[in-house]
Amino acid sequence: MTKRIKKIGVLTGGGDCAGLNAVIRAVTKSAINQHGLEVFGIEDGFEGLLHNRMHPLGMEDVSNILTHGGTILGTNNKCNPARYHVEVDGQMQIQDLSEQVMGHIKSRSLDALIVIGGDGTMAVASNFARRGVNCIGVPKTIDNDLESCDVTFGFPTAYYVATEALDRIHTTAASHHRAMLVEVMGRNAGWIALYAGVASGADIILIPEIPFSIDKVCEKVTDRSRHGKRFSILCVAEGARPIDGEQVVARYDHTSADPVRLGGISRIVADQIEKMTGIETRTTILGHIQRGGSPIPQDRLLATAFGHAAITTLMAGKENRMVVMQGRNVTDISLYDVVDKQRLVPMDHPYIQAVRDMSISFGD
Ligand code: F6P
């Protein structure tokens, strides 16, 4: 028989993005109002669960946060209690502290966890799901790369911000007759670059899924110049790479489960364009601007639908599921199906075909 749910914990894990507070609000309000549950907000993702840092969330606590960026709970994109970095006698050691987390879940009488995060957070959650904790996932990431989910919340705001930046770069590029590159986030997936590139009318879009040739990129810039377009706009994914080259790593964070932080490919491409075409070139790396600030309405709606669905799924007696958007419907899949998978841009995506047919270049 399924255990009666009375008290739940909610946490936000991984990198922040717009819409986290909107999910926390929807989860808390639905849980209290519709089902009379007690809700606990866990601080700083799994770090808070490990150190027993959590506090009750009431209706008042989540009032007026729908439009706010960030997360009222705090987050952490490093903590995996099963592989926790501890300093012992000046040396870093990796320890499995899962049982400490289980102890806190038990002592706080949490019957389930609502885990808001990306694939890394779902991987951490699956360790506790296997130990008997019912975890319901809510798909968050600006990268839009979660398996079986057509759109994650945070992605719409990220590509909106990137589009606006590209629009602004457009006018300055045209005035100075320059090639201008805007580098966007996305890790190994080109969703932000593709959507922002198409929405802003970029001339060249470089995404990780389509390795580029610098000769082809320069050909396009020169060709435009020959036809009287003395400027070019390039939207470059941080994970883009040349046909015979590697992705550019900005830094390694060895305390993180995924230590690679990409960034800087646009500077290399810009130098090559300037050298090979003689056209003055500039680069803007957008960075965390894409994650901060108020969610656009689409993200507020998605976040509300996901947060509400997480509670409905839980109260329907389901266990270890992640709510997802498929077509126009919010449904749910096994939490385990998301772990260690990445949803990259498929080559039959309608925007890929549109870009090719409209003579926008992928640099290939
Ligand atoms: O996964 C979200 C994301 O913003 C990626 O697009 C980016 O590569 C990475 O996180 C940056 O991580 P950090 O905030 O640790 O620099």
Side-chain angles (χ1 to χ4, degrees):
M1 203 181 77
T2 334
K3 188 168 151 200
R4 192 165 152 240
I5 309 283
K6 287 184 278 195
K7 199 195 268 188
I8 61 168
V10 55
L11 66 81
T12 50
D16 74 330
C17 72
L20 286 166
N21 284 325
V23 179
I24 296 168
R25 171 181 174 268
V27 164
T28 306
K29 288 198 168 190
S30 310
I32 296 174
N33 187 54
Q34 184 65 18
H35 302 283
L37 304 184
E38 246 186 285
V39 182
F40 268 70
I42 298 159
E43 295 160 25
D44 302 332
F46 282 97
E47 188 79 32
L49 210 46
L50 184 61
H51 298 295
N52 208 5
R53 285 194 280 115
M54 56 188 89
H55 55 268
L57 282 182
M59 295 295 255
E60 267 310 304
D61 300 303
V62 296
S63 170
N64 197 25
I65 63 168
L66 171 66
T67 61
H68 294 189
T71 157
I72 58 165
L73 297 176
T75 189
N76 182 306
N77 64 359
K78 296 178 188 177
C79 179
N80 178 358
R83 292 183 55 75
Y84 198 71
H85 290 72
V86 190
E87 201 180 314
V88 180
D89 300 332
Q91 297 279 318
M92 287 311 277
Q93 278 187 7
I94 295 178
Q95 294 183 358
D96 184 352
L97 303 181
S98 305
E99 280 308 315
Q100 187 171 316
V101 169
M102 291 301 291
H104 294 148
I105 293 173
K106 209 165 167 218
S107 69
R108 296 280 192 160
S109 309
L110 298 179
D111 300 314
L113 294 180
I114 305 295
V115 179
I116 309 168
D119 59 333
T121 306
M122 298 308 152
V124 177
S126 66
N127 168 34
F128 299 106
R130 280 195 195 91
R131 291 166 190 260
V133 181
N134 187 4
C135 296
I136 304 291
V138 179
K140 165 245 62 159
T141 168
I142 65 164
D143 304 337
N144 200 34
D145 61 353
L146 274 188
E147 179 67 13
S148 304
C149 186
D150 292 353
V151 57
T152 56
F153 78 90
F155 168 61
T157 302
Y159 78 76
Y160 175 90
V161 169
T163 302
E164 209 198 5
L166 280 150
D167 289 349
R168 288 175 188 276
I169 290 291
H170 214 124
T171 58
T172 166
S175 307
H176 283 271
H177 316 298
R178 287 171 167 164
M180 293 193 76
L181 292 80
V182 174
E183 181 174 313
V184 300
M185 283 183 163
R187 243 181 252 263
N188 298 314
W191 292 104
I192 301 176
L194 180 65
Y195 275 52
V198 170
S200 64
D203 307 301
I204 299 168
I205 301 172
L206 303 183
I207 61 173
E209 293 85 349
I210 306 177
F212 63 89
S213 137
I214 191 64
D215 292 333
K216 293 276 181 200
V217 170
C218 291
E219 226 171 74
K220 178 73 181 174
V221 171
T222 312
D223 193 48
R224 280 177 53 78
S225 187
R226 255 194 238 113
H227 288 90
K229 297 279 192 188
R230 295 167 61 205
F231 71 96
S232 289
I233 304 294
L234 290 87
C235 180
V236 183
E238 63 180 4
R241 64 178 175 89
I243 288 167
D244 296 322
E246 299 296 321
Q247 289 177 318
V248 176
V249 176
R251 62 162 69 203
Y252 291 96
D253 181 347
H254 291 290
T255 61
S256 174
D258 181 359
V260 174
R261 295 292 181 275
L262 298 170
I265 180 69
S266 59
R267 286 210 190 92
I268 294 169
V269 174
D271 285 350
Q272 289 172 325
I273 293 175
E274 198 162 80
K275 270 197 204 99
M276 290 167 74
T277 67
I279 292 170
E280 196 177 26
T281 306
R282 294 286 190 273
T283 303
T284 302
I285 299 181
L286 286 188
H288 294 80
I289 286 174
Q290 297 157 94
R291 297 209 323 225
S294 184
I296 65 167
Q298 190 186 343
D299 265 328
R300 297 178 197 180
L301 292 169
L302 259 179
T304 301
F306 281 150
H308 172 253
I311 294 300
T312 310
T313 304
L314 175 68
M315 296 316 283
K318 297 189 186 181
E319 293 189 352
N320 305 325
R321 310 291 293 172
M322 185 181 83
V323 297
V324 290
M325 182 65 85
Q326 290 183 346
R328 285 162 172 261
N329 301 319
V330 179
T331 175
D332 52 89
I333 60 169
S334 165
L335 187 78
Y336 304 111
D337 285 352
V338 186
V339 177
D340 291 332
K341 291 186 188 151
Q342 271 181 330
R343 194 178 71 99
L344 302 180
V345 177
M347 286 306 104
D348 60 355
H349 191 282
Y351 292 161
I352 297 278
Q353 199 50 52
V355 164
R356 294 211 183 281
D357 290 351
M358 291 166 68
S359 130
I360 301 164
S361 172
F362 281 120
D364 64 336

